[in-house]
Structures are given as C-alpha cells and as structure tokens.
Amino acid sequence: MTLAPRIQRAVQHGMLGLSITSALILAGCGDSAAPPETAAAPAPVVKKKPNILYIMADDLGYSDIGAFGGEIETPNLDALVKQGRLLTNHHTGTVCAITRAMLVSGTDHHLVGEGNMGAPNDERKGLPGYEGFLNESALSFAQLLRDGGYHTYMAGKWHLGSAIAGGAVTTAGKTPDQWGFEHSYALLAGAASNHYAHEKEGSSNYTEDGKFVQPGQPGQPGGTGAEPFYSTDFYTKRLISYIDQHKADGKPFFAYAAYTSPHWPLQVSEPWLSKYKGKYDAGYDAVRNARIARQKQLGLVPADFKPYDGAPETLAATPATSGYGKAGAKYINANNGVAQGYTEYGAGKVNKKWGSLTPLEKKAQARYMEIYAGMVDNLDHNIGLLIQHLKDIGEYDNTYVMFQSDNGAEGWPIDSGADPKPTDEANATEPVYSALGTDNGAQAAKRLQYGLRWAEVSATPFRLTKGYAGEGSVSTPLIVKLPGQTARLPNLSALTHVTDNTATFLALAGIPLPSEAAPKAVDAAGVDHNLGKVVYNGRNVYPVTGKSLLPLLEGSAQAVRSDPLGHESYGRAFLISGDGKWKALWNEPPVGALDGHWELYDLTHDRGETSDVSAQNPAVTSGMVLQWQQFMTHVGGVEPLKPQGYY
C-alpha cells in the first residue's frame, strides 16, 4: 500500500498547514479507501527527521540583501526566499556574543554567562552571569540534538569560550566540541584579525574538534601545500566536508554555518573586490533612499512608513559633561536620570554627512562600501554552494534552512569618534587606496571598517546600529524554508526572537525540552541558586524559554509570543510589549535623551523610532520601565552605574 496522495504531498512539501507530527500520524492511517482486511499489513512508513541548516552572517544590516531591499547582488538568498518566506520582525541581541549565547542556550544571555560581551571590569565583575563565556548553567541545543540522534557540525565564529578540554574552564569557557558539536572548525574570538588567517605557529585563535589549529601554517589550510584560506570560502568547504563524512549512515544533521562576513576587516578576493566600483559614489542618502523605495515596493514596510533618516550631523565631537570621569560622578543610567540627580555622560562622536566630506574622504568612504558589498556578494555565493551541495546529495528537500544576521550593522566609528578625515584621506591616496581590501600576508590585516554612516544605511529603515537598543541594532533579516517547501509563502510580521530559533530546532527534531525541576540549592542567605533550573545529563541548567516557530510557519498560529520581550546590554535597554505595539527604549546620552528619560515608540506606526511619545503616554512608559526592571531581576541582570558601549 502507498500513502494517500494528499498525505504524500503534505510530507513532501513541509506539512504546510499541519504539524510534522500530525502529518506522520495521518500518513500511518492509509488511504480513505482501505484495503480488504485480508490484505497483508503494510510496512510502517519511517520518515527521516529533517536536517537543519542554520546560516548566520556577522554584522549584516537589515537591508543589505536583495530580498530586504538592498542593491547588493544576493541571487542565492533571493532564490531561497522564493522557496521559503521572510520573517520581518525578528530580533536578536545587540552584539554578537550575546546573540550567540541566547542561540545556543535558548534563553536570556544574563542567565548563561554573557550578561556583558566579555567579562566586565566594573561593579558587575565576578557576578553570576557575567563570566564572559557560556557558563555551566547553560543548556546547549547542540548537545540535545546530538543526544537525540543528530550529527552536529559547525564552521566559523564561536565567541562563547576558548579553553579546550582539560583547560581552565573557569576562566575561559569551553570550545564548541564540549557543547555538543560533533565536528567543528571554530574561530574562538569575536573577530578574525585577517580573513585570510596567516596564524602564527602555536597560536590559539582557532580549534578543530577541540584541538588548536593554525590556518596558514605549513600543511594546514592556507599554508604551503594546502587549500587556500579565506574565511567565508573555507568555512563553506569545511562544513560540506563534515556533512559528507557521515552522509551514508542515514542520520539527520544540524549544520551551523557561522560566517564572519561581512565583519571587519573589510577584505574580499576578486572578482568581488572590484565588482562594485562606482556603485556608491552618490553617497549615503542616495543609497538609503533607494533601499527604502525598494522596501516599500517589496511590501516590507507600508507606503507611508517613516524611516529613520540618520543621526544629526556633528562636525566636531561633543564634549563630555564636566563631572565625567571624576570621583563621585553620578552617571545617567536606565534607572536614574536628571530628575534623580544623575547628570554625567560621555562625549559624542564626529559624524559627518556626505555633503560635508572632501573629495578624498568621499573616495575612501565609497571604497569601503564597495568592499563591504563585495563581501556580502561573496557570502551569498558561498550560501549558494552550500545549498547546491545539499541538492547534489539529495538532502535539500528534507532540510530546514534558516538564514539571519547575528545583530545589526556594525557602526564602529573610524578613529574612535574623532574626525576620520586624516585616515580617510590617507586611505584615498596611492599606494594605500589600491591595496584596500586585499590580503597583506600578515596575521593582522589593516583594520578597515565602513563607519557610522554606512552602518546607518545598512540598518535602513531603522534607527541606530550594533550595540545600541534601537531597531537597527536588534532587528535582522530572517529567511526560513521548511522541509519540502517549494513555493514562497507570505511574509510574517509577528514578533520573533533568536531564542525561538533554538526551540524551533528542537521541535523539528522531535526532541522534548528538559523539564525536570532541579533540586533546591539554598545558600546561607536563603537564595536558591537552582531556582528556575531543570536537570539535563546530571547538570542543573536554565531551560529553553524561546517559543517554537513551527506553529507560525505552518499557519496554525498568528503569533508565538505573548509576553513582553526585554533586553539589556552595556546598560542600554528596551522592552517590547507582549502585543508588539509599544517599545520602551533607553540609550545613554548623547545618543539617548540628554535628561536620561526612557523613550517610547508605537511600533505599529513608527518602527523607525522617529517620534518619542513617552510624554504623551506617561502611564504606559512608567509601566513598561517597571516591567523591564522586573525582567532584570528575573534574569539576574545588573544595570551598570556607568553605561558605555564596546567602543
């Protein structure tokens, strides 16, 4: 007997409108026209669990790819959209390690060691949740998947711990092989100093399967007698090799492509290095306006959407307040503003508009964006290679594919906020100009970044960039294709979060979330250090709090979240109401309000965060601030007395 045709189609096309489990149960019931009772019983239908391919870009902005309005050529991601769908209201952490901690653990970053990106040096130093790496209270989805019968592979950026097995875990965290990844080639730090590697003998920046490796050394990738090493190209090849090692055993796999592109240093090989020559000569506003027009045309934002137009121009750095840096200074933070007697904050940064640049500055700035675009194009090329390989080995149809960025665009200011004119003009002059974006052959490449204004363009149509609490920092592109899906489905605008990815992976694999309550561990002060934890493999860990996206993706739910979504990092904070309407937002001055008040935005009409309505809605604002404070208490977060970013 064969499956009923309609059930076969449901299985083959991703169970759209049915849960995967429900479709399999129905499949076991057979056709409506049952065979005679005397017929031989059919063999049970066993369907392999779906593979999962999770692709993460590094510091890619919301509008950089074609499907989200960008002018950069991304045909492979665009093709994926035609077989999948866009989720347009997806949120992450403000910076990479925080997002990655939430991804692996499925819960808030304060609980699992990355309350700050890296261990803080202020009053939070040594507090639980501020270890600066994935701590022992974390649950790992990779371990759950591996224990549940999956192969688990990753290639690329880890940024959650650097001690190999047997190393000083208490001070450095653990490498991915110790968190459930069967095979991994990992960049341990937050950034590569050169995308072409050239690691020194004995360096400890990379591991493969838990052992330090040095790409660029003889016999190793990038070294004499070995395959070339450019990060994006190499991670693709390595991930494919891991998939192929075990493809004959029939087990499903989870493959994590953790690319470091387009994170600085801006570097890429030909033909991508020269492909976008002249594309950005018109400057920031022209590119932003074209992206907004495409976003409206694509239906990503409504026709009357008011985008963020960029920060006000500052031709000279604004000074810090008079008491900044002095003993006894009371810094404005998310809990205390001018009304409470807190008055100090730091200096602003030089941030010029296109019309204020000299011809040489424009030449350099345009070149930075050309190289960045080339990196994104090359990234798309490699994603195409991954997807094509899955098709070649017959696994694509049974693979769940998810693509996103780890956070918004990186706006690290050139020259740390001073006037970048000397640096830009030097970069626009030969012989430096022709060498921009190339491989210098050294372990550390020229640290080339594209700065504040291009990052704003990448964040179009939203406000602010990586590290801040604006939508431009925490809203990223998200593309999803269900197993068997072959046709595009409508965009989804429901609020989603990176921890929901974790829950989705486990739901796809049919792996139940650990739920056994951990035994109490009450200290002398009466604090239960296991409160809220569950037991898994003999460890007491925080459970996954994200929500599976499957009901949303399969059409059985309009939303998966109903509780407020809170966040804090570097003292910057936000809370989005459970219905997705309101966002309370706090950034330290001078980016945030000079008096330190919490801003309020109606996201249903102003996701560009252009009109602060806190004064018109004081009760809403105060209520949401209280909810945010309760959130911080719940996750063990501590608002720093002196908020400041990572640059």
Side-chain angles (χ1 to χ4, degrees), residues 54-62 90-103 117 157-159 189-191 256-263 379 403-410 466-467 472-478 497-498 501 567:
Y54 181 64
I55 307 166
M56 181 177 276
D58 197 348
D59 294 356
L60 181 81
Y62 187 84
H90 188 63
H91 288 72
T92 65
T94 61
V95 291
C96 41
I98 285 174
T99 294
R100 292 160 201 268
M102 293 193 289
L103 169 73
M117 184 168 68
K157 177 171 164 178
W158 176 239
H159 206 188
Y256 177 21
Y259 292 112
T260 52
S261 181
H263 192 293
L379 172 66
F403 166 85
Q404 73 166 96
S405 179
D406 61 347
N407 45 247
E410 166 69 271
K466 176 182 174 180
S473 170
V474 296
S475 293
T476 73
L478 184 69
H497 188 252
V498 67
N501 300 0
H567 190 80

CSV table of all heavy atoms in Angstrom, one decimal, residues 54-62 90-103 117 157-159 189-191 256-263 379 403-410 466-467 472-478 497-498 501 567:
chain,number,residue,atom,x,y,z
A,54,TYR,N,21.6,26.0,9.5
A,54,TYR,CA,21.4,27.3,10.1
A,54,TYR,C,22.6,28.2,9.7
A,54,TYR,O,23.7,27.8,9.9
A,54,TYR,CB,21.3,27.2,11.6
A,54,TYR,CG,21.2,28.5,12.3
A,54,TYR,CD1,20.0,29.3,12.1
A,54,TYR,CD2,22.1,29.0,13.2
A,54,TYR,CE1,19.8,30.5,12.8
A,54,TYR,CE2,22.0,30.2,13.8
A,54,TYR,CZ,20.8,31.0,13.6
A,54,TYR,OH,20.7,32.2,14.3
A,55,ILE,N,22.3,29.3,9.0
A,55,ILE,CA,23.3,30.2,8.5
A,55,ILE,C,23.3,31.5,9.1
A,55,ILE,O,22.2,32.2,9.2
A,55,ILE,CB,23.1,30.4,6.9
A,55,ILE,CG1,23.0,29.0,6.2
A,55,ILE,CG2,24.2,31.2,6.3
A,55,ILE,CD1,22.4,29.1,4.8
A,56,MET,N,24.4,31.9,9.7
A,56,MET,CA,24.4,33.2,10.4
A,56,MET,C,25.5,34.1,9.8
A,56,MET,O,26.7,33.7,9.7
A,56,MET,CB,24.7,33.0,11.9
A,56,MET,CG,24.7,34.3,12.7
A,56,MET,SD,25.0,34.1,14.5
A,56,MET,CE,23.3,33.8,15.0
A,57,ALA,N,25.1,35.3,9.3
A,57,ALA,CA,26.1,36.3,8.9
A,57,ALA,C,26.5,37.1,10.1
A,57,ALA,O,25.9,37.1,11.2
A,57,ALA,CB,25.4,37.2,7.9
A,58,ASP,N,27.6,37.9,10.0
A,58,ASP,CA,28.2,38.6,11.1
A,58,ASP,C,28.1,40.1,10.8
A,58,ASP,O,28.8,40.6,9.9
A,58,ASP,CB,29.6,38.2,11.3
A,58,ASP,CG,30.2,38.6,12.7
A,58,ASP,OD1,29.5,39.4,13.4
A,58,ASP,OD2,31.2,38.1,13.0
A,59,ASP,N,27.2,40.8,11.6
A,59,ASP,CA,27.1,42.3,11.5
A,59,ASP,C,26.5,42.7,10.1
A,59,ASP,O,26.7,43.8,9.7
A,59,ASP,CB,28.4,43.0,11.6
A,59,ASP,CG,29.0,42.8,13.0
A,59,ASP,OD1,28.3,42.2,13.9
A,59,ASP,OD2,30.1,43.3,13.3
A,60,LEU,N,25.7,41.9,9.5
A,60,LEU,CA,25.0,42.2,8.3
A,60,LEU,C,23.7,43.1,8.7
A,60,LEU,O,23.0,42.7,9.6
A,60,LEU,CB,24.5,41.0,7.6
A,60,LEU,CG,23.8,41.1,6.3
A,60,LEU,CD1,24.7,41.4,5.1
A,60,LEU,CD2,22.9,39.9,6.0
A,61,GLY,N,23.5,44.2,8.0
A,61,GLY,CA,22.4,45.0,8.3
A,61,GLY,C,21.1,44.5,7.7
A,61,GLY,O,21.1,43.7,6.8
A,62,TYR,N,20.0,45.1,8.2
A,62,TYR,CA,18.7,44.6,7.9
A,62,TYR,C,18.4,44.7,6.4
A,62,TYR,O,17.7,43.9,5.8
A,62,TYR,CB,17.6,45.5,8.6
A,62,TYR,CG,16.2,45.0,8.5
A,62,TYR,CD1,15.7,44.0,9.3
A,62,TYR,CD2,15.3,45.6,7.6
A,62,TYR,CE1,14.4,43.6,9.2
A,62,TYR,CE2,14.0,45.2,7.4
A,62,TYR,CZ,13.5,44.2,8.3
A,62,TYR,OH,12.2,43.8,8.2
A,90,HIS,N,12.1,40.0,13.3
A,90,HIS,CA,12.9,39.1,14.1
A,90,HIS,C,13.9,39.9,14.9
A,90,HIS,O,14.5,40.9,14.4
A,90,HIS,CB,13.7,38.2,13.1
A,90,HIS,CG,14.4,37.1,13.8
A,90,HIS,ND1,13.8,36.2,14.6
A,90,HIS,CD2,15.7,36.8,13.9
A,90,HIS,CE1,14.6,35.3,15.1
A,90,HIS,NE2,15.8,35.7,14.7
A,91,HIS,N,14.2,39.5,16.1
A,91,HIS,CA,15.1,40.3,17.0
A,91,HIS,C,16.2,39.4,17.6
A,91,HIS,O,16.0,38.2,17.7
A,91,HIS,CB,14.2,40.9,18.1
A,91,HIS,CG,13.4,42.0,17.7
A,91,HIS,ND1,12.3,41.9,16.9
A,91,HIS,CD2,13.5,43.4,17.9
A,91,HIS,CE1,11.7,43.0,16.7
A,91,HIS,NE2,12.5,44.0,17.2
A,92,THR,N,17.3,40.1,17.8
A,92,THR,CA,18.5,39.4,18.4
A,92,THR,C,19.0,40.2,19.6
A,92,THR,O,18.3,41.1,20.1
A,92,THR,CB,19.6,39.4,17.3
A,92,THR,OG1,20.0,40.7,17.0
A,92,THR,CG2,19.1,38.7,16.0
A,93,GLY,N,20.2,39.9,20.0
A,93,GLY,CA,20.9,40.7,21.0
A,93,GLY,C,21.5,41.9,20.2
A,93,GLY,O,21.5,42.0,19.0
A,94,THR,N,22.1,42.8,21.0
A,94,THR,CA,22.7,44.0,20.4
A,94,THR,C,24.1,43.7,19.8
A,94,THR,O,24.6,44.5,19.0
A,94,THR,CB,22.8,45.1,21.4
A,94,THR,OG1,23.6,44.7,22.5
A,94,THR,CG2,21.4,45.5,22.0
A,95,VAL,N,24.8,42.7,20.3
A,95,VAL,CA,26.1,42.3,19.9
A,95,VAL,C,26.2,40.8,19.7
A,95,VAL,O,25.4,40.1,20.2
A,95,VAL,CB,27.2,42.9,20.8
A,95,VAL,CG1,27.3,44.4,20.8
A,95,VAL,CG2,27.0,42.4,22.2
A,96,CYS,N,27.3,40.4,19.0
A,96,CYS,CA,27.4,39.0,18.6
A,96,CYS,C,27.4,38.0,19.7
A,96,CYS,O,26.7,37.0,19.6
A,96,CYS,CB,28.6,38.9,17.7
A,96,CYS,SG,30.1,39.8,18.2
A,97,ALA,N,28.3,38.1,20.7
A,97,ALA,CA,28.4,37.0,21.7
A,97,ALA,C,27.1,36.9,22.5
A,97,ALA,O,26.7,35.8,22.9
A,97,ALA,CB,29.6,37.3,22.6
A,98,ILE,N,26.4,38.0,22.7
A,98,ILE,CA,25.2,37.9,23.4
A,98,ILE,C,24.1,37.2,22.6
A,98,ILE,O,23.4,36.3,23.1
A,98,ILE,CB,24.7,39.4,23.8
A,98,ILE,CG1,25.6,39.9,24.9
A,98,ILE,CG2,23.2,39.4,24.1
A,98,ILE,CD1,25.3,41.3,25.3
A,99,THR,N,24.0,37.5,21.3
A,99,THR,CA,23.1,36.7,20.5
A,99,THR,C,23.5,35.3,20.4
A,99,THR,O,22.6,34.4,20.5
A,99,THR,CB,23.1,37.3,19.0
A,99,THR,OG1,22.6,38.6,19.1
A,99,THR,CG2,22.3,36.5,18.1
A,100,ARG,N,24.7,34.9,20.3
A,100,ARG,CA,25.1,33.5,20.2
A,100,ARG,C,24.9,32.8,21.5
A,100,ARG,O,24.6,31.6,21.4
A,100,ARG,CB,26.6,33.5,19.7
A,100,ARG,CG,26.8,34.0,18.3
A,100,ARG,CD,28.2,34.4,18.0
A,100,ARG,NE,28.2,35.3,16.8
A,100,ARG,CZ,28.4,34.9,15.6
A,100,ARG,NH1,28.5,33.7,15.3
A,100,ARG,NH2,28.4,35.8,14.6
A,101,ALA,N,25.1,33.4,22.6
A,101,ALA,CA,24.8,32.8,23.9
A,101,ALA,C,23.3,32.4,24.0
A,101,ALA,O,22.9,31.3,24.4
A,101,ALA,CB,25.2,33.7,25.0
A,102,MET,N,22.4,33.3,23.5
A,102,MET,CA,21.0,33.1,23.5
A,102,MET,C,20.6,32.0,22.5
A,102,MET,O,19.7,31.2,22.8
A,102,MET,CB,20.2,34.4,23.3
A,102,MET,CG,20.4,35.4,24.4
A,102,MET,SD,19.2,36.8,24.4
A,102,MET,CE,19.9,37.7,23.0
A,103,LEU,N,21.3,32.0,21.4
A,103,LEU,CA,21.0,31.0,20.4
A,103,LEU,C,21.3,29.6,20.9
A,103,LEU,O,20.5,28.6,20.8
A,103,LEU,CB,21.9,31.2,19.1
A,103,LEU,CG,21.9,30.1,18.1
A,103,LEU,CD1,20.5,30.0,17.4
A,103,LEU,CD2,23.0,30.3,17.1
A,117,MET,N,29.2,41.4,26.9
A,117,MET,CA,30.0,40.7,25.9
A,117,MET,C,31.5,40.7,26.4
A,117,MET,O,32.2,41.7,26.3
A,117,MET,CB,30.0,41.4,24.5
A,117,MET,CG,30.8,40.6,23.5
A,117,MET,SD,30.5,41.1,21.8
A,117,MET,CE,31.2,42.7,21.8
A,157,LYS,N,32.5,31.3,13.4
A,157,LYS,CA,32.7,32.0,14.7
A,157,LYS,C,32.0,31.4,15.9
A,157,LYS,O,30.8,31.2,15.8
A,157,LYS,CB,32.3,33.5,14.4
A,157,LYS,CG,32.4,34.4,15.6
A,157,LYS,CD,32.1,35.8,15.2
A,157,LYS,CE,31.8,36.7,16.3
A,157,LYS,NZ,31.6,38.1,15.8
A,158,TRP,N,32.7,31.2,17.0
A,158,TRP,CA,32.1,30.7,18.2
A,158,TRP,C,31.9,31.8,19.2
A,158,TRP,O,30.7,32.1,19.6
A,158,TRP,CB,33.0,29.6,18.7
A,158,TRP,CG,32.7,29.0,20.0
A,158,TRP,CD1,33.4,29.0,21.2
A,158,TRP,CD2,31.5,28.3,20.3
A,158,TRP,NE1,32.7,28.3,22.2
A,158,TRP,CE2,31.5,27.8,21.7
A,158,TRP,CE3,30.3,27.9,19.6
A,158,TRP,CZ2,30.5,27.1,22.3
A,158,TRP,CZ3,29.3,27.2,20.2
A,158,TRP,CH2,29.4,26.8,21.5
A,159,HIS,N,32.9,32.4,19.7
A,159,HIS,CA,32.8,33.6,20.6
A,159,HIS,C,32.2,33.3,21.9
A,159,HIS,O,31.6,34.2,22.6
A,159,HIS,CB,32.1,34.7,19.9
A,159,HIS,CG,32.5,36.1,20.3
A,159,HIS,ND1,31.9,37.2,19.9
A,159,HIS,CD2,33.5,36.5,21.2
A,159,HIS,CE1,32.4,38.3,20.5
A,159,HIS,NE2,33.4,37.9,21.3
A,189,ALA,N,37.5,33.7,18.9
A,189,ALA,CA,37.3,35.1,19.3
A,189,ALA,C,36.2,35.7,18.6
A,189,ALA,O,35.5,35.1,17.8
A,189,ALA,CB,38.6,35.9,19.1
A,190,GLY,N,35.9,37.0,18.9
A,190,GLY,CA,34.8,37.7,18.3
A,190,GLY,C,35.1,38.2,16.9
A,190,GLY,O,34.1,38.6,16.2
A,191,ALA,N,36.3,38.2,16.4
A,191,ALA,CA,36.6,38.7,15.1
A,191,ALA,C,37.9,38.1,14.7
A,191,ALA,O,38.8,37.8,15.5
A,191,ALA,CB,36.7,40.2,15.0
A,256,TYR,N,25.7,24.3,11.2
A,256,TYR,CA,25.8,25.7,11.6
A,256,TYR,C,26.9,26.4,10.8
A,256,TYR,O,28.1,26.1,11.1
A,256,TYR,CB,26.0,25.7,13.1
A,256,TYR,CG,26.1,27.1,13.7
A,256,TYR,CD1,25.6,28.3,13.1
A,256,TYR,CD2,26.7,27.2,15.0
A,256,TYR,CE1,25.8,29.5,13.8
A,256,TYR,CE2,26.8,28.4,15.6
A,256,TYR,CZ,26.4,29.6,15.0
A,256,TYR,OH,26.5,30.8,15.6
A,257,ALA,N,26.5,27.2,9.9
A,257,ALA,CA,27.5,28.0,9.1
A,257,ALA,C,27.6,29.3,9.8
A,257,ALA,O,26.8,30.2,9.5
A,257,ALA,CB,27.0,28.1,7.6
A,258,ALA,N,28.6,29.5,10.6
A,258,ALA,CA,28.7,30.7,11.4
A,258,ALA,C,29.7,31.6,10.8
A,258,ALA,O,30.9,31.8,11.3
A,258,ALA,CB,29.2,30.3,12.8
A,259,TYR,N,29.4,32.2,9.7
A,259,TYR,CA,30.3,33.1,8.9
A,259,TYR,C,30.7,34.3,9.7
A,259,TYR,O,30.0,34.8,10.5
A,259,TYR,CB,29.6,33.5,7.6
A,259,TYR,CG,29.4,32.4,6.6
A,259,TYR,CD1,28.1,31.9,6.3
A,259,TYR,CD2,30.4,31.7,6.0
A,259,TYR,CE1,27.9,30.9,5.4
A,259,TYR,CE2,30.2,30.7,5.2
A,259,TYR,CZ,28.9,30.2,4.9
A,259,TYR,OH,28.7,29.2,4.0
A,260,THR,N,31.9,34.8,9.4
A,260,THR,CA,32.4,36.0,9.9
A,260,THR,C,32.3,37.2,9.0
A,260,THR,O,32.8,38.3,9.3
A,260,THR,CB,33.9,35.9,10.4
A,260,THR,OG1,34.7,35.4,9.3
A,260,THR,CG2,34.0,34.9,11.5
A,261,SER,N,31.7,37.0,7.9
A,261,SER,CA,31.5,38.0,6.9
A,261,SER,C,30.1,38.6,7.1
A,261,SER,O,29.2,37.9,7.5
A,261,SER,CB,31.5,37.5,5.5
A,261,SER,OG,31.3,38.4,4.5
A,262,PRO,N,29.9,39.9,6.9
A,262,PRO,CA,30.9,41.0,6.5
A,262,PRO,C,31.5,41.8,7.6
A,262,PRO,O,31.8,43.0,7.5
A,262,PRO,CB,30.0,41.9,5.6
A,262,PRO,CG,28.7,41.8,6.3
A,262,PRO,CD,28.5,40.4,6.9
A,263,HIS,N,31.8,41.1,8.7
A,263,HIS,CA,32.5,41.8,9.8
A,263,HIS,C,33.9,42.3,9.4
A,263,HIS,O,34.6,41.7,8.6
A,263,HIS,CB,32.7,40.8,11.0
A,263,HIS,CG,33.1,41.3,12.3
A,263,HIS,ND1,34.3,41.9,12.5
A,263,HIS,CD2,32.5,41.4,13.5
A,263,HIS,CE1,34.4,42.3,13.8
A,263,HIS,NE2,33.3,42.0,14.4
A,379,LEU,N,29.6,36.2,0.3
A,379,LEU,CA,28.8,35.4,1.3
A,379,LEU,C,27.7,34.7,0.6
A,379,LEU,O,27.4,33.5,0.8
A,379,LEU,CB,28.3,36.3,2.4
A,379,LEU,CG,27.4,35.7,3.4
A,379,LEU,CD1,28.1,34.6,4.2
A,379,LEU,CD2,26.9,36.8,4.4
A,403,PHE,N,18.3,31.5,7.7
A,403,PHE,CA,19.4,32.5,7.5
A,403,PHE,C,19.1,33.7,8.2
A,403,PHE,O,17.9,34.2,8.2
A,403,PHE,CB,19.6,32.8,6.0
A,403,PHE,CG,20.4,34.0,5.8
A,403,PHE,CD1,21.8,33.9,5.8
A,403,PHE,CD2,19.9,35.3,5.7
A,403,PHE,CE1,22.6,35.0,5.6
A,403,PHE,CE2,20.7,36.4,5.5
A,403,PHE,CZ,22.0,36.3,5.5
A,404,GLN,N,20.1,34.3,8.9
A,404,GLN,CA,19.9,35.6,9.6
A,404,GLN,C,21.3,36.2,9.9
A,404,GLN,O,22.3,35.6,9.6
A,404,GLN,CB,19.1,35.4,10.9
A,404,GLN,CG,19.9,34.8,12.0
A,404,GLN,CD,19.3,34.9,13.4
A,404,GLN,OE1,18.5,34.1,13.8
A,404,GLN,NE2,19.5,36.1,14.0
A,405,SER,N,21.3,37.4,10.4
A,405,SER,CA,22.5,38.1,10.9
A,405,SER,C,22.4,38.0,12.4
A,405,SER,O,21.4,37.8,13.0
A,405,SER,CB,22.5,39.5,10.4
A,405,SER,OG,23.7,40.2,10.9
A,406,ASP,N,23.6,38.1,13.0
A,406,ASP,CA,23.7,37.9,14.5
A,406,ASP,C,23.2,39.2,15.2
A,406,ASP,O,22.8,39.1,16.3
A,406,ASP,CB,25.1,37.5,14.9
A,406,ASP,CG,26.2,38.5,14.6
A,406,ASP,OD1,25.9,39.4,13.8
A,406,ASP,OD2,27.3,38.4,15.1
A,407,ASN,N,23.3,40.3,14.5
A,407,ASN,CA,22.8,41.6,15.1
A,407,ASN,C,22.8,42.6,13.9
A,407,ASN,O,23.1,42.2,12.8
A,407,ASN,CB,23.7,42.1,16.2
A,407,ASN,CG,25.2,42.0,16.0
A,407,ASN,OD1,25.9,41.2,16.6
A,407,ASN,ND2,25.7,42.7,15.0
A,408,GLY,N,22.5,43.8,14.2
A,408,GLY,CA,22.5,44.8,13.2
A,408,GLY,C,23.9,45.2,12.7
A,408,GLY,O,24.9,44.7,13.1
A,409,ALA,N,23.9,46.2,11.8
A,409,ALA,CA,25.2,46.6,11.2
A,409,ALA,C,26.1,47.2,12.2
A,409,ALA,O,25.7,47.9,13.1
A,409,ALA,CB,24.8,47.7,10.1
A,410,GLU,N,27.4,47.0,11.9
A,410,GLU,CA,28.5,47.5,12.8
A,410,GLU,C,28.9,48.9,12.5
A,410,GLU,O,29.4,49.2,11.4
A,410,GLU,CB,29.7,46.5,12.6
A,410,GLU,CG,31.0,47.1,13.2
A,410,GLU,CD,31.0,47.1,14.7
A,410,GLU,OE1,30.6,48.2,15.3
A,410,GLU,OE2,31.4,46.1,15.3
A,466,LYS,N,24.5,48.4,15.6
A,466,LYS,CA,25.0,47.4,16.6
A,466,LYS,C,25.4,48.0,17.9
A,466,LYS,O,26.1,49.0,17.9
A,466,LYS,CB,26.2,46.6,15.9
A,466,LYS,CG,26.9,45.6,16.9
A,466,LYS,CD,28.0,44.9,16.2
A,466,LYS,CE,28.8,44.0,17.1
A,466,LYS,NZ,30.0,43.4,16.4
A,467,GLY,N,25.0,47.3,19.0
A,467,GLY,CA,25.4,47.8,20.3
A,467,GLY,C,24.4,48.6,21.0
A,467,GLY,O,24.4,48.7,22.2
A,472,GLY,N,17.5,49.2,14.6
A,472,GLY,CA,18.6,48.9,13.6
A,472,GLY,C,19.7,48.1,14.2
A,472,GLY,O,20.5,47.5,13.5
A,473,SER,N,19.7,47.9,15.5
A,473,SER,CA,20.7,47.1,16.2
A,473,SER,C,20.2,45.6,16.4
A,473,SER,O,20.9,44.7,16.2
A,473,SER,CB,21.1,47.6,17.5
A,473,SER,OG,21.8,46.7,18.3
A,474,VAL,N,18.9,45.5,16.7
A,474,VAL,CA,18.4,44.2,17.1
A,474,VAL,C,17.4,43.6,16.2
A,474,VAL,O,16.8,42.5,16.4
A,474,VAL,CB,17.7,44.3,18.5
A,474,VAL,CG1,18.8,44.7,19.6
A,474,VAL,CG2,16.6,45.3,18.6
A,475,SER,N,17.1,44.3,15.0
A,475,SER,CA,16.2,43.7,14.0
A,475,SER,C,17.1,43.2,12.9
A,475,SER,O,17.9,44.0,12.3
A,475,SER,CB,15.2,44.7,13.5
A,475,SER,OG,14.3,45.0,14.5
A,476,THR,N,17.0,42.0,12.5
A,476,THR,CA,17.9,41.4,11.4
A,476,THR,C,17.0,40.7,10.4
A,476,THR,O,15.9,40.3,10.6
A,476,THR,CB,18.9,40.4,12.0
A,476,THR,OG1,18.2,39.2,12.3
A,476,THR,CG2,19.6,41.0,13.2
A,477,PRO,N,17.6,40.6,9.2
A,477,PRO,CA,16.9,39.8,8.1
A,477,PRO,C,16.7,38.4,8.6
A,477,PRO,O,17.7,37.8,9.2
A,477,PRO,CB,17.8,40.0,6.9
A,477,PRO,CG,19.1,40.3,7.4
A,477,PRO,CD,18.9,41.1,8.7
A,478,LEU,N,15.6,37.7,8.3
A,478,LEU,CA,15.4,36.3,8.6
A,478,LEU,C,14.7,35.7,7.4
A,478,LEU,O,13.6,36.1,7.0
A,478,LEU,CB,14.6,36.1,9.9
A,478,LEU,CG,14.5,34.7,10.3
A,478,LEU,CD1,15.8,34.1,10.8
A,478,LEU,CD2,13.5,34.5,11.5
A,497,HIS,N,12.2,36.0,18.1
A,497,HIS,CA,13.4,36.3,18.8
A,497,HIS,C,14.4,35.1,18.6
A,497,HIS,O,14.0,34.0,18.3
A,497,HIS,CB,13.2,36.5,20.3
A,497,HIS,CG,14.3,36.9,21.1
A,497,HIS,ND1,15.0,36.1,21.9
A,497,HIS,CD2,15.0,38.1,21.1
A,497,HIS,CE1,16.0,36.8,22.5
A,497,HIS,NE2,16.0,38.0,22.0
A,498,VAL,N,15.7,35.4,18.7
A,498,VAL,CA,16.7,34.4,18.4
A,498,VAL,C,16.5,33.1,19.3
A,498,VAL,O,16.8,32.0,18.9
A,498,VAL,CB,18.1,35.0,18.5
A,498,VAL,CG1,18.4,35.4,20.0
A,498,VAL,CG2,19.1,34.0,18.0
A,501,ASN,N,14.5,30.4,17.7
A,501,ASN,CA,15.2,29.5,16.8
A,501,ASN,C,15.6,28.2,17.5
A,501,ASN,O,15.4,27.1,16.9
A,501,ASN,CB,16.5,30.2,16.3
A,501,ASN,CG,16.3,31.5,15.5
A,501,ASN,OD1,15.2,31.9,15.4
A,501,ASN,ND2,17.4,32.1,15.1
A,567,HIS,N,15.3,43.3,27.2
A,567,HIS,CA,16.7,43.2,26.8
A,567,HIS,C,17.6,44.3,27.5
A,567,HIS,O,17.1,45.4,27.7
A,567,HIS,CB,17.0,43.2,25.3
A,567,HIS,CG,18.3,42.8,24.9
A,567,HIS,ND1,18.7,41.5,24.8
A,567,HIS,CD2,19.4,43.6,24.6
A,567,HIS,CE1,20.0,41.4,24.4
A,567,HIS,NE2,20.4,42.7,24.3
